[in-house]
Amino acid sequence: MLVTQSPCSMDNPSNMLSVLEEESNVDIDDVFPPHVDTTNIIIQPESPTSKKQTLKTFKEINALLQADKLREVKLILRENAWPLNNGIRTQLWPALISQHSKGNNTMDGYYWDMVSQILGTTELPEQSIMLPPFVDSTHCLSYNLTRKGRSVADRIVSVLGYACPDITYSPSLYPITALLLHFMPEEQCYHCVQSLVASKKKMFITQTKLLYEVTWKTVEQITKKHVKSAAVHLARHCSVSRAERIYMDWIWWILQLLPFQHLVRVMDCFLHEGIKVFYRVAMAIILLFYKHSSPQTSEWMAEITKNGIDAALSKFCRQIPVTPAKFLRTAFGIRGLSSAYISRVFISIEMNLKSRNVVSGSKSLVKSRSTDTLPTSQSQMNIQMMSHTLTIREKECEDTYKDRGAHSPGPRALSMGVYPIQSIRSQILDMPELFTLWSWLPVRITMYQPILLYTTEEHGCSLTTFYVRVEKYEPTLLMIKTCNNEVFGAYCSTRWCERNLKDDKGQRQAYFGTGETFLFSLYPERAKYPWVGMDSSHNDSRVHHSAELFMAADSKMITIGGGDGQAIWMDENIRFGKTDRCSTFNNPPLCASGDFEIRVLEVYGFHGA
């Protein structure tokens, strides 16, 4: 087994002895718990920033923590690059986290009592443990955890979902839990995560969709101000909408793409200082990427030209060409980023988002009325506790396991919400297909009870009946099964009664709806077709009017998607229809022939939306 030792000064024998004592178990299998697979963990022997210093011991740092000398602790954590096979983190990380718990220590045995109550046993089950709805199912990163380790992480997060019902969206919680499990046992990890969630003085883990949006907008704003050249470089090589999407994924630059040894060093500082460390690290990534890719002859400029800046940035994070020590020096060397300043930017953005009623512009969505009656924290808890609440977990991908141990492959998708869909008795979709379809819905909508508004099997084939039963509901979900057994449909974001609205000149508007509308196909092809204005592969920063034709209806027909064709068109008898490619969704025809005969049409609404 690889053994490395950081250099120590011979001038201070007592310090050297302390370091050697702390590093005596240099066999990597002795450093990490048994639920960690050490096969792919790379040991880089790094030292303090200054070669004249020795690596600090836990005893020294803990004494400073007890004396409340937090600034000294901060500097030590930034400067001391303990190798991964140094055993200090098994004590250091819990000690750093405990300072944020404000004495709210949970009684001994509380965690195992919760496990027993929720799962019925303290033994790890063989089948997958259901994850709470706030988990981003596409980013269940497990790093170097074994299969048992991943089950332990699942159990911790599952218990946390019951203990903290106010959490509605927290994509970073699972990865942080998995990282902590590399250096501590299960029960201690649970209490540490709970302390980070409950921390009031500093933010560590965002717990709502709104606050997650605030974080990426904060990163975007402070990057444009404090590493302006790097931000301009990024913006120069992509559209405005694509640049926004790159910033939206900022947390995954750190938690998913950075090499493990870099990420652990970031966590050393994060667990003491809070989320502002992540902000600095994200800015450092942009800054270093700019320095390495701005020369026209550089390999990274060639990568941008070949694969696009977002793919180049992701590859740069994975292969970041600086040591963890230099990486952190870059992050903490960015000036003007005081905690007070970052807090002001964060609060300003949060207030702006909270006060936003309508977002205008072709690249933005009009606020849907379905957000006006979102469930309260209490009702969300009630939904979570329902026995038939489900959470989708994507199929595990072996290649992704090898990369970062992610549970789910493929491009990032919206996190699943909670939804009681087992009560649905569809004549079109079976339960696996319903699972897939519900995973594509906006998160907030999955919190509501679906109700069948209209079906040709029960209510007949009449457009008039369709309007009477459906038109007041927003949103609605249309599912079509053809006589050739093709299955497709659309999520319609706006009420169908808006077909009667008139413009300022008194003329009825042909098209209505918002960019939240999307098409889907479930058989024979399985695919989701979002509005092109939401698609990161749509290069044009401006969306033409012909690509904003979402919904249209009158007494003779229904149309979904327009521009160079109609994605779905149905006649007044809801018997015949046609499908073609359209500019709004850039979809292929949803059935092979283009023309179809309807066997069954089902329309669902959402109670309370």
Side-chain angles (χ1 to χ4, degrees), residues 134-137 139-141 167-176 205-209 212 251-252 255 412 415:
F134 58 71
V135 172
D136 184 337
S137 61
H139 288 85
C140 292
L141 307 173
I167 304 177
T168 57
Y169 182 72
S170 187
S172 65
L173 194 148
Y174 191 103
I176 289 174
I205 300 172
T206 57
Q207 299 167 46
T208 67
K209 193 84 172 178
Y212 182 77
I251 195 72
W252 307 120
L255 292 177
R412 186 179 173 204
S415 172

Side-chain angles (χ1 to χ4, degrees), residues 32 58 61 65 77 82 84 86-100 175-184 188-189 192-193 195-196 204 260-272:
F32 291 95
F58 171 71
I61 297 172
L65 285 172
L77 294 172
W82 297 279
L84 289 176
N86 185 304
I88 189 173
R89 292 180 178 89
T90 59
Q91 295 175 287
L92 177 62
W93 282 16
L96 293 174
I97 294 169
S98 67
Q99 65 179 313
H100 310 300
I176 289 174
T177 300
L179 284 167
L180 295 182
L181 273 176
H182 284 67
F183 300 100
M184 60 187 72
Q188 188 177 37
C189 179
C192 285
V193 176
S195 295
L196 294 178
F204 293 89
F260 187 68
Q261 63 268 23
H262 289 69
L263 178 55
V264 169
R265 281 293 294 127
V266 170
M267 291 295 294
D268 289 340
C269 303
F270 167 79
L271 295 176
H272 182 61

Side-chain angles (χ1 to χ4, degrees), residues 7-20:
C8 299
S9 171
M10 299 299 292
D11 298 333
N12 193 334
S14 62
N15 275 354
M16 181 178 178
L17 178 61
S18 180
V19 171
L20 290 174

Side-chain angles (χ1 to χ4, degrees), residues 420-431:
I421 65 172
Q422 285 187 333
S423 60
I424 294 179
R425 297 294 178 262
S426 173
Q427 300 298 311
I428 299 177
L429 303 184
D430 58 21
M431 197 55 65

Side-chain angles (χ1 to χ4, degrees), residues 498-499 501 507-512 549 551-554 557:
E498 292 197 10
R499 71 187 187 281
L501 294 182
Q507 297 178 337
R508 189 175 63 84
Q509 300 184 72
Y511 280 89
F512 52 95
L549 307 179
M551 302 159 61
D554 58 26
M557 63 85 197

